Amino acid sequence: MLKMSNISKIYQTGAVEVIALNKINLTVEEGEFVAIVGPSGSGKSTLMNLIGCLDIPTQGEYWLDGQEVSKLSDDELADIRNLKIGFIFQGFNLLHKLSALENVELPLIYRGMNAKERQERALRALAKVGLEHRLHHKPSELSGGQQQRVAIARALAGDPPLILADEPTGNLDSVSGKEVLASLQELNQQGHTIILITHDTQVAERARRIIRIQDGSIVSDERMG
Amino acid sequence: MEFWQAIRLGISGIMGNKLRSFLTMLGVILGVSAVIILVALAEGSTQQVSERIQSMGSNLLSVSIRGRGNTGYLSYEEVLKWEAYEGVSKVAPSISTQVQAKFGNKTKDVNIEGTNHSYHEVRNTHVVMGRGLTPIDVEFREKVAVIGANVAKELFGEFTPLGEHIKLRGINYRVIGVLESKGSTIGGSSDDAVLIPLTSAERFVGTRGIRRVYVQAENPETVDQVVAKLTEFLTDKYKDPDNFSVFNQTEMLQTVNQVTSMLTVMLGGIAGIALLVGGIGIMNIMLVTVTERTREIGIRKAIGAKKRHILYQFLVEAVVISALGGVIGIFLGVGIAKLISVFTSIAIKFSLPVIFIAFFFAVLVGIVFGVYPANKAARLNPIEALRYE
């Protein structure tokens, strides 16, 4: 499903070289629920950007769903993000001028899907997260937990092989946070591959595999149960 | 479909910030309406001036004699010979002077013109009541008069003047016709004129000889030829070209048109600069918008928007602002120009091509000044854009 070999990311700021990731090797199989844990500055954000195809590595190979993506152009990466990855962010990152339904339709618009199919898919995704009665609400009219579920629906709508969640509970109260994590677990049980990035070990424990990262290297990789 | 989606996104972007969008549009609205108003006024005046020149008569030439020397003025016989020139249609000599016309106890200052039957056609002054001058009137020195519309109104009021006698310097003239009203024209209005036979006028004015002759060419193409022929005749007779002049109406019309079309282009150009300034306003606001919406751009890119998607979105927004401003500007410009013409009686003439050009220029301005901000948005790095607060 996902294979990184010898991935390094080096930032050049003036004369100083900062090694954010140092020769990472990582394989994730289809259907896994992986948590990547590490303190801030450990390189986990950089790793998530690379996994999410928002950025390309300085060195190494990255195979995602059978495709080598480490040397693609910006627009090619946009296509990969659109087709293969569903993002869930800490700050929800919904467009506040669009309704829940329109937010969920957005990735499908960029896919060039026709209006009818787009709407059907968006409705199905929103129903999956239990928001079929909040279709025409703007994000500002929804609670934090509901907003995050809209974001999950958006990630699901395009039916991507990989769902990437970056601190999905970071902005939520504990009740909403638990709801969101429960949704993610449910999605995983339905067969979606999920990578969760967090600094919170309690959140990470929901996953079936925990990868700890520190100073740009993987320090432990343990499978639960 | 992607296109309509982009337009929808653009419009929702504009609606999301109505006041700012309107203020941005204002530059384009004022630019477009200024182009339309100024060009409408310039073309309206052009048309008015040309119409006035043309109302003096078509293909008109007028010969004036200024010299006072021994050679004297032109004789009627001399003048009539011009009718035989190739390209000449009709010749109407004119002797004129100002006198007071009297009927009963009413008086009016009039412009007497002694002329012949051709005058009506050459000067484009038609008789609406009674008859015009005839060759017999000239031959027999008849004391008859064809009076202008104002003269008829002021001396006779509602009564029909035909058959009545008016007094010109104490001599009775029988009114045989009334001229059609033409309003003010260049070179004096025929509304205040009294036409009498040339031969009667010679005695009246006290000078024999004609100082002014109106010549009608057969068509615009023969005008130059007739001018040449007349100039040849007059040079032969008077030697010094300062002693006479041949006024060419067609040439004057061309000059007027040249001057006014230059005026139109100049005014249009000035208004075009206003449009350009409007475009800079669009660019300014679009740059602010792009900065403000950096996070939105980041989100869109993260979920798969390509560069061109973002580029289109912001470009469409700029173009919709300018096009909408253009449409509003057209309505505003047409409305204001009409108001001006109603309240000041200045003539206006709308030019459809100019309206279209103004509109498309506005759209072009939107594209040109929208490309830079849109491109800036399209090239944002998604990671940095997502992190932007």
Side-chain angles (χ1 to χ4, degrees):
Chain A
M1 164 77 241
L2 176 160
K3 187 177 190 313
M4 288 184 147
S5 48
N6 278 323
I7 289 280
S8 295
K9 183 73 187 176
I10 298 162
Y11 292 107
Q12 190 91 38
T13 43
V16 189
E17 261 190 10
V18 179
I19 302 173
L21 288 177
N22 191 11
K23 294 186 180 160
I24 297 277
N25 287 295
L26 175 65
T27 309
V28 177
E29 298 303 333
E30 204 172 322
E32 274 195 285
F33 188 172
V34 183
I36 296 174
V37 196
S40 60
S42 60
K44 69 179 189 307
S45 292
T46 308
L47 184 58
M48 120 110 201
N49 288 340
L50 289 179
I51 294 173
C53 293
L54 287 164
D55 206 352
I56 51 171
T58 316
Q59 281 163 24
E61 276 187 7
Y62 174 24
W63 292 82
L64 176 66
D65 199 29
Q67 196 176 0
E68 220 283 283
V69 296
S70 63
K71 303 211 165 39
L72 296 181
S73 73
D74 287 354
D75 276 353
E76 286 166 327
L77 286 177
D79 259 341
I80 299 284
R81 289 197 294 271
N82 187 267
L83 292 168
K84 308 215 161 157
I85 298 161
F87 284 96
I88 301 165
F89 300 96
Q90 176 175 12
F92 321 137
N93 278 343
L94 298 172
L95 296 188
H96 59 275
K97 277 179 194 156
L98 302 184
S99 69
L101 184 65
E102 288 169 323
N103 263 294
V104 176
E105 278 185 68
L106 205 56
L108 306 178
I109 289 175
Y110 291 126
R111 207 178 273 194
M113 195 179 279
N114 69 52
K116 192 163 167 275
E117 193 182 348
R118 213 161 66 203
Q119 203 162 15
E120 273 171 20
R121 285 231 204 172
L123 285 172
R124 227 183 301 143
L126 278 163
K128 225 173 184 176
V129 296
L131 283 176
E132 60 271 40
H133 56 293
R134 291 281 187 275
L135 300 179
H136 302 293
H137 287 61
K138 297 273 164 70
S140 57
E141 298 159 348
L142 298 170
S143 72
Q146 285 173 326
Q147 287 186 54
Q148 194 59 299
R149 273 146 65 196
V150 173
I152 293 173
R154 182 178 65 188
L156 283 177
D159 204 17
L162 174 66
I163 288 176
L164 191 57
D166 180 20
E167 300 277 13
T169 60
N171 279 14
L172 297 176
D173 60 82
S174 58
V175 180
S176 311
K178 271 176 195 153
E179 272 175 25
V180 164
L181 286 175
S183 316
L184 288 178
Q185 276 181 313
E186 206 181 302
L187 289 174
N188 178 242
Q189 273 149 26
Q190 286 166 14
H192 292 277
T193 311
I194 296 175
I195 296 179
L196 175 68
I197 287 150
T198 181
H199 67 278
D200 186 340
T201 31
Q202 266 187 314
V203 171
E205 270 157 21
R206 300 291 189 117
R208 291 191 291 179
R209 177 181 171 196
I210 300 179
I211 294 169
R212 286 176 204 282
I213 183 166
Q214 202 154 16
D215 298 329
S217 301
I218 292 175
V219 291
S220 79
D221 184 347
E222 47 187 313
R223 283 167 211 270
M224 324 290 280
Chain B
M1 190 211 71
E2 215 170 65
F3 176 74
W4 289 113
Q5 194 66 41
I7 292 215
R8 214 177 62 89
L9 283 173
I11 289 172
S12 73
I14 289 163
M15 295 309 280
N17 217 327
K18 290 191 190 71
L19 180 64
R20 182 198 285 178
S21 305
F22 174 72
L23 290 175
T24 312
M25 238 178 254
L26 207 55
V28 177
I29 293 175
L30 293 180
V32 169
S33 50
V35 169
I36 290 171
I37 294 167
L38 292 178
V39 171
L41 288 175
E43 299 221 321
S45 331
T46 307
Q47 198 184 22
Q48 207 171 29
V49 170
S50 329
E51 271 170 10
R52 280 187 187 178
I53 292 173
Q54 271 162 339
S55 75
M56 296 191 307
S58 42
N59 310 323
L60 181 73
L61 296 170
S62 90
V63 174
S64 302
I65 308 302
R66 284 192 289 249
R68 265 172 260 275
N70 312 331
T71 39
Y73 301 126
L74 296 162
S75 72
Y76 188 41
E77 290 71 28
E78 246 176 340
V79 167
L80 279 185
K81 280 183 196 150
W82 293 354
E83 281 194 348
Y85 287 174
E86 205 180 326
V88 172
S89 164
K90 285 199 162 60
V91 175
S94 165
I95 296 176
S96 64
T97 186
Q98 310 261 324
V99 298
Q100 204 175 50
K102 237 185 199 167
F103 176 72
N105 56 2
K106 288 186 192 138
T107 59
K108 173 159 175 62
D109 291 315
V110 298
N111 184 30
I112 298 271
E113 274 203 79
T115 184
N116 67 358
H117 62 282
S118 300
Y119 187 89
H120 299 295
E121 195 185 325
V122 174
R123 293 299 312 274
N124 198 19
T125 50
H126 300 288
V127 174
V128 284
M129 193 193 285
R131 65 172 176 88
L133 296 173
T134 60
I136 293 167
D137 293 330
V138 178
E139 197 176 329
F140 292 99
R141 293 190 181 146
E142 293 285 356
K143 293 195 171 53
V144 293
V146 178
I147 60 178
N150 282 349
V151 180
K153 204 165 81 189
E154 284 180 39
L155 291 184
F156 297 95
E158 297 301 311
F159 298 107
T160 168
L162 295 184
E164 302 291 346
H165 286 80
I166 55 171
K167 271 196 164 70
L168 302 171
R169 276 195 193 150
I171 302 164
N172 272 326
Y173 279 78
R174 187 163 52 87
V175 177
I176 53 167
V178 178
L179 296 174
E180 152 187 63
S181 173
K182 286 173 81 173
S184 66
T185 56
I186 290 170
S189 172
S190 64
D191 292 357
D192 290 325
V194 170
L195 306 183
I196 60 175
L198 177 81
T199 43
S200 310
E202 277 178 336
R203 189 175 282 181
F204 198 98
V205 178
T207 54
R208 278 188 68 83
I210 297 160
R211 299 176 64 181
R212 181 180 289 271
V213 185
Y214 298 106
V215 179
Q216 186 179 43
E218 273 167 3
N219 54 54
E221 285 74 44
T222 61
V223 167
D224 287 343
Q225 179 189 347
V226 173
V227 170
K229 197 81 180 159
L230 290 178
T231 309
E232 187 190 322
F233 174 90
L234 293 165
T235 313
D236 204 37
K237 178 162 179 167
Y238 293 106
K239 314 297 183 233
D240 186 353
D242 281 345
N243 288 337
F244 63 88
S245 71
V246 179
F247 162 87
N248 181 342
Q249 182 216 42
T250 315
E251 205 173 80
M252 180 168 175
L253 208 59
Q254 279 167 355
T255 312
V256 166
N257 281 339
Q258 264 169 17
V259 169
T260 51
S261 64
M262 209 161 80
L263 190 77
T264 307
V265 168
M266 255 171 58
L267 289 175
I270 290 168
I273 292 172
L275 248 178
L276 215 62
V277 173
I280 295 170
I282 291 180
M283 176 139 97
N284 192 6
I285 286 301
M286 289 309 293
L287 284 172
V288 173
T289 303
V290 167
T291 308
E292 269 185 359
R293 286 157 68 185
T294 299
R295 200 176 171 84
E296 174 191 330
I297 295 163
I299 296 169
R300 288 180 184 276
K301 286 197 140 188
I303 62 174
K306 290 185 187 148
K307 276 182 188 153
R308 68 184 154 89
H309 291 128
I310 305 292
L311 184 81
Y312 286 166
Q313 184 189 340
F314 285 91
L315 200 53
V316 162
E317 209 164 294
V319 172
V320 168
I321 284 180
S322 61
L324 208 59
V327 171
I328 296 173
I330 287 172
F331 282 106
L332 192 73
V334 169
I336 290 178
K338 279 197 168 151
L339 280 181
I340 290 175
S341 80
V342 166
F343 284 108
T344 66
S345 73
I346 294 172
I348 53 162
K349 184 180 172 230
F350 293 113
S351 146
L352 215 54
V354 167
I355 290 177
F356 277 118
I357 289 170
F359 177 75
F360 285 112
F361 189 60
V363 173
L364 189 74
V365 158
I367 293 172
V368 168
F369 287 98
V371 160
Y372 175 71
N375 197 41
K376 199 180 162 201
R379 284 164 56 167
L380 283 176
N381 177 319
I383 300 167
E384 277 161 29
L386 274 174
R387 222 180 280 146
Y388 186 86
E389 289 301 324

